Amino acid sequence: MEAEKRIKHYSSSHKILLVGEGDFSFAASLATSLGSGVNMVSTSLDSKVMLNKKYNEAMANVSRLEDIGCTVIHEVDCCTMSQHPKLMSNLFDRIVFNFPHAGFFFTSESTPGYEKCNKWFFFSLHKNVVEGFLRNAVEMLTENGEVHITHKTTHPFNMWEIEKLANEVGLGLLDEVPFFYRDYPGYKNKRGEGQRCDQSFPIGKSSTYKFKIMN
């Protein structure tokens, strides 16, 4: 048997589900560091055709993942994923969603005047995505499994109340740890929308929130 490999919060022995991947660079980084993707399922909301249009390196990352045994599934909505035909019979030790976002809707949190553009409407859209993800994730965890959400911690992102949303579906905060790019070589976060969809956005101060089912 091969020796267990680890990177940050993840082990080659974990069954891992990655949700909302952009160009699949996070999945590729994780699988490469763990030496295999056989215990990983990586998903994105985009279709394969759209993925190819939006991201220059996506298909290369997908090919690399498939070559090392990772299951890649396109057109997976995080708010209904527990009912997806290819996922509904599986349980996972780690379910991971990096920088969840509902889209920019003609503006963004960093756009001048955002505070005047009915911010509560945009907050509710983003929070609905997080809540839907959490409600589905809690149904897909193993007994000691964890749900990980990486998110900005500065204003206005700290107003999404991720911990409260998790509590409402029966998840409790296990830990909050700072997130750094350097821990995942090759990972490139993506805007995912508009003409700059293939560009990264500044993450500033961000954390990975780790949740477990409350007893």
Side-chain angles (χ1 to χ4, degrees):
M1 295 180 61
E2 293 187 6
E4 179 186 23
K5 294 184 178 180
R6 299 191 65 90
I7 174 173
K8 294 301 290 182
H9 330 291
Y10 310 107
S11 164
S12 56
S13 65
H14 289 151
K15 190 168 184 183
I16 302 171
L17 172 64
L18 304 177
V19 177
E21 284 287 287
D23 69 347
F24 287 89
S25 59
F26 182 81
S29 174
L30 199 60
T32 300
S33 297
L34 295 177
S36 173
V38 294
N39 286 334
M40 288 178 53
V41 178
S42 187
T43 72
S44 75
L45 181 61
D46 291 319
S47 67
K48 191 172 184 179
V49 171
M50 185 59 67
L51 194 73
N52 193 33
K53 288 182 179 179
K54 290 171 67 173
Y55 306 115
N56 290 331
E57 299 179 14
M59 301 319 297
N61 288 331
V62 169
S63 294
R64 190 193 326 171
L65 285 167
E66 293 176 338
D67 286 345
I68 56 179
C70 179
T71 298
V72 176
I73 311 175
H74 306 286
E75 298 181 86
V76 175
D77 187 334
C78 70
C79 295
T80 58
M81 62 185 183
S82 64
Q83 300 305 309
H84 192 285
K86 294 183 179 179
L87 294 174
M88 60 190 305
S89 60
N90 294 293
L91 297 178
F92 297 91
D93 301 305
R94 300 289 185 271
I95 300 178
V96 185
F97 198 169
N98 292 321
F99 303 105
H101 204 277
F104 292 110
F105 305 102
F106 310 109
T107 187
S108 74
E109 289 87 344
S110 60
T111 300
Y114 173 82
E115 294 290 334
K116 299 180 181 179
C117 294
N118 196 356
K119 64 180 180 181
W120 301 112
F121 170 72
F122 294 110
F123 285 161
S124 66
L125 292 175
H126 299 316
K127 290 171 70 172
N128 285 345
V129 170
V130 175
E131 181 183 20
F133 162 69
L134 290 167
R135 287 192 182 280
N136 279 257
V138 76
E139 298 180 19
M140 305 170 72
L141 284 176
T142 58
E143 183 178 357
N144 294 310
E146 299 176 10
V147 178
H148 293 182
I149 296 180
T150 297
H151 188 58
K152 295 183 180 184
T153 57
T154 53
H155 181 82
F157 304 95
N158 56 1
M159 298 177 68
W160 291 23
E161 300 180 306
I162 288 179
E163 185 176 352
K164 179 181 177 182
L165 294 175
N167 293 162
E168 290 174 353
V169 301
L171 291 168
L173 183 65
L174 178 66
D175 199 5
E176 176 189 346
V177 294
F179 178 88
F180 301 105
Y181 275 128
R182 63 176 179 266
D183 294 327
Y184 303 96
Y187 171 46
K188 301 174 183 176
N189 66 312
K190 298 296 181 180
R191 292 182 178 273
E193 299 282 345
Q195 295 181 346
R196 297 191 295 164
C197 60
D198 200 24
Q199 295 182 14
S200 294
F201 57 85
I203 65 169
K205 292 183 178 180
S206 298
S207 290
T208 297
Y209 296 84
K210 302 160 71 172
F211 299 100
K212 291 189 68 174
I213 295 176
M214 293 187 290
N215 296 324

